[in-house]
């Protein structure tokens, strides 16, 4: 397997903290469904009521 630079990997913005995060190998199968950069952000995600406000 060829090593890649971190800058060459796809990135997304975290829905909780709005920071960019890069693709990880453990997310290879479900990269399209990944929304949060960490477990901490996933636990602190905005609730439905707060998102609408």
């Amino acid at each position: 397997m060829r090593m890649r630079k971190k800058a060459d990997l796809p990135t997304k913005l975290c829905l909780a903290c709005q920071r960019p995060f890069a693709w990880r190998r453990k997310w290879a199968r479900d990269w399209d469904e990944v929304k949060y950069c960490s477990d901490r952000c996933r636990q602190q995600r905005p609730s439905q009521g707060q998102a609408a406000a």
Side-chain angles (χ1 to χ4, degrees), residues 1-51:
M1 179 186 278
R2 186 173 162 252
M3 296 298 291
R4 294 183 184 216
K5 294 181 182 177
K6 187 117 176 160
D8 295 338
L9 298 174
T11 60
K12 289 185 178 183
L13 285 178
C14 177
L15 293 180
C17 66
Q18 298 300 311
R19 293 181 185 170
F21 64 98
W23 181 90
R24 292 185 186 175
R25 187 174 178 181
K26 70 179 188 176
W27 292 332
R29 286 180 279 135
D30 55 347
W31 176 242
D32 294 332
E33 288 82 35
V34 175
K35 298 177 184 175
Y36 304 101
C37 63
S38 65
D39 288 335
R40 180 180 181 188
C41 281
R42 188 167 33 87
Q43 290 171 356
Q44 293 180 349
R45 65 181 173 247
S47 65
Q48 296 291 63
Q50 293 177 352

